[in-house]
Amino acid sequence: MNIVLLPSPPFEEIGGVSTHVFMLAKGLGEVGHRVFVIREYPPRWFRWPFVRLPELLLEKVSLNFSRKYRLEVDDLYFAVAALWKTRGDLHVLNIQNVQHAGIVKWLRRLTGCKAVLTVHGYLTYEAESRKWCVVGDKTHQWLWAMETAGYDQFDAIVCVGSKAGSYVQQFTHKPITIIPNGLDTDLFRPASGDFYPKTKIHILFVGLLQPAKGIMDAIRAIQALVRDYKIDVVLRVAGKGLQEQEAKQYVAEHGLGDRVVFLGALNKEKMPDFYRSGDILLFPSKQAGLSGKSEESSPYAVLEAMSSGLPIVAYRTSALQEHVQDGTTGYLVEPGDVNSLGMHLRDLCLNTDLREKMGKEARVYCMQNYSQTKMAQRYVKVYTHSYD
């Protein structure tokens, strides 16, 4: 089959969608299909005169209208790019965001393709949590209406987690298939031998430095390990964000400079070695936004760490309950319970056998359930079913 995946942020860009598209394209290629990936950002020769300049001018009149214009022009570019890349021989169009449902009817009419939507999150809730809109304003109403009309345009809908599936069911009665994210388990593998000699236990944090990701909770949990249990640990933080300065100030004020290391946003090529340098992944991600309804759908950081042989200590939210086997591949605690985070970290730090056993279990579980090949095979079943 000729399969188009769109839109995709550049793989170098930090985020789950870009990683998902890269891994899915790789997996689909391994099982014999031709895959064409269309990037989220049009080339500069198109973007500046036809997208950015009109968008900036329209923003002075109406921000809402400017966003609608941007969406329409993006859809036009995506449709033309899909036709050009496949020379019109398009079998499956796999869109990564419901806001681009508008191109489905045109490409279906021109090529007879089947349209599949992958839902990675909660469009309207995420817009609210990022303060792009507030409940009831014009942007919020526009996004909600877009979702209400959009999902029914597709032949099949895939969600990366059951929580995302429940969200979509607000808008459509179509059946929903849950296919978790997949990854290259050969690339993300445990360290062999004395890969990263160290005297301290390395606890890893991966994500944007913002309230929803729980960076301050992570630092306070490390503070408790050092203060209350005298454990020799270091928290290695990969990421940047709005709370970076606050986090660094807290670390400095509480004498944690040698216990918390800020590495900035690491290139994706460096992430496999980053995980191999660690002993535990701490992932205190929680709900975000005024509504408290936006949260992780299927976080790649957790899957990558598990594939690398690390046990997980995380808050019990959304897909974390699907990915982490509590008590076997890691520990889950209620959101905001920093004390429990600290106690489970203490147990793993003090018990090397337990830490290694959970890490091995995490690796096996990830290989059995979250490889890119397995993800691709699951998608092919959806593609062929919707094509019949």
Side-chain angles (χ1 to χ4, degrees):
M1 287 186 291
N2 289 340
I3 302 165
V4 166
L5 305 177
L6 70 83
S8 173
F11 177 65
E12 301 79 17
E13 184 174 304
I14 294 175
V17 177
S18 61
T19 304
H20 168 89
V21 172
F22 179 83
M23 294 297 177
L24 178 57
K26 190 175 178 181
L28 290 170
E30 289 176 351
V31 295
H33 299 283
R34 296 182 67 199
V35 183
F36 305 87
V37 176
I38 298 177
R39 288 201 168 195
E40 183 176 33
Y41 308 117
R44 183 169 295 181
W45 65 264
F46 180 91
R47 184 166 68 248
W48 278 104
F50 299 110
V51 181
R52 287 299 295 145
L53 182 59
E55 185 181 25
L56 291 172
L57 293 174
L58 289 170
E59 279 181 1
K60 297 180 179 180
V61 179
S62 168
L63 180 59
N64 190 46
F65 188 67
S66 172
R67 287 171 174 167
K68 290 181 180 179
Y69 171 82
R70 171 66 181 267
L71 181 61
E72 294 290 340
V73 177
D74 281 349
D75 282 353
L76 174 63
Y77 167 76
F78 294 145
V80 172
L83 291 170
W84 176 258
K85 284 178 175 289
T86 62
R87 300 299 189 266
D89 187 20
L90 172 59
H91 301 141
V92 176
L93 174 67
N94 190 171
I95 293 179
Q96 309 301 309
N97 193 317
V98 69
Q99 66 182 353
H100 300 294
I103 67 175
V104 169
K105 63 180 180 181
W106 299 110
L107 289 178
R108 184 186 285 137
R109 184 178 300 170
L110 291 170
T111 67
C113 70
K114 298 300 178 181
V116 176
L117 173 68
T118 299
V119 180
H120 296 273
Y122 324 90
L123 178 62
T124 305
Y125 289 167
E126 288 176 1
E128 178 263 315
S129 70
R130 294 171 183 173
K131 298 183 180 179
W132 293 349
C133 64
V134 295
V135 177
D137 72 6
K138 288 185 177 180
T139 299
H140 188 275
Q141 292 173 9
W142 171 55
L143 291 172
W144 196 263
M146 182 191 301
E147 293 201 80
T148 300
Y151 293 107
D152 286 335
Q153 304 302 313
F154 293 88
D155 299 293
I157 300 174
V158 175
C159 292
V160 298
S162 59
K163 185 67 178 287
S166 298
Y167 172 79
V168 172
Q169 285 176 336
Q170 297 177 95
F171 304 99
T172 182
H173 295 295
K174 281 183 172 290
I176 295 168
T177 303
I178 305 298
I179 301 179
N181 285 327
L183 75 163
D184 187 342
T185 55
D186 292 329
L187 177 63
F188 292 94
R189 64 185 185 277
S192 57
D194 198 14
F195 172 80
Y196 193 92
K198 53 184 183 288
T199 57
K200 298 178 181 178
I201 293 174
H202 285 202
I203 299 173
L204 308 183
F205 176 98
V206 181
L208 295 173
L209 306 189
Q210 60 185 27
K213 296 293 186 179
I215 178 60
M216 298 307 299
D217 288 4
I219 293 172
R220 291 186 179 99
I222 297 304
Q223 182 182 17
L225 287 181
V226 175
R227 181 191 61 214
D228 300 336
Y229 306 116
K230 314 301 180 187
I231 298 176
D232 199 10
V233 300
V234 59
L235 177 68
R236 305 182 72 225
V237 179
K240 296 179 72 66
L242 297 175
Q243 274 193 305
E244 182 174 359
Q245 194 56 42
E246 177 187 349
K248 288 182 176 180
Q249 183 176 344
Y250 185 93
V251 167
E253 290 177 352
H254 291 81
L256 298 171
D258 61 338
R259 300 297 182 175
V260 181
V261 179
F262 294 92
L263 303 173
L266 297 183
N267 186 289
K268 285 186 177 180
E269 294 179 353
K270 296 181 179 179
M271 293 308 294
D273 283 345
F274 175 71
Y275 290 116
R276 282 192 281 272
S277 74
D279 298 291
I280 304 165
L281 178 73
L282 177 56
F283 197 79
S285 181
K286 47 194 172 183
Q287 293 179 329
L290 298 175
S291 64
K293 295 177 179 178
S294 179
E295 59 182 67
E296 301 284 352
S297 297
S298 183
Y300 260 104
V302 170
L303 299 181
E304 291 166 354
M306 290 173 63
S307 183
S308 303
L310 302 187
I312 312 298
V313 178
Y315 284 146
R316 192 187 307 276
T317 56
S318 187
L320 272 298
Q321 297 179 76
E322 300 172 40
H323 295 336
V324 179
Q325 295 174 295
D326 192 13
T328 301
T329 62
Y331 294 110
L332 297 175
V333 306
E334 294 306 310
D337 189 351
V338 178
N339 288 334
S340 292
L341 285 180
M343 286 190 291
H344 286 307
L345 288 172
R346 176 202 62 191
D347 293 343
L348 289 170
C349 289
L350 296 178
N351 191 330
T352 302
D353 290 340
L354 175 64
R355 188 171 69 245
E356 292 180 352
K357 180 176 183 295
M358 281 192 163
K360 290 177 181 178
E361 292 282 356
R363 166 72 175 170
V364 170
Y365 187 71
C366 194
M367 292 178 67
Q368 291 175 343
N369 295 279
Y370 303 121
S371 72
Q372 66 188 22
T373 303
K374 187 171 290 293
M375 174 175 65
Q377 291 169 341
R378 290 165 174 162
Y379 268 90
V380 169
K381 289 181 180 179
V382 173
Y383 295 158
T384 53
H385 178 72
S386 64
Y387 211 84
D388 292 338

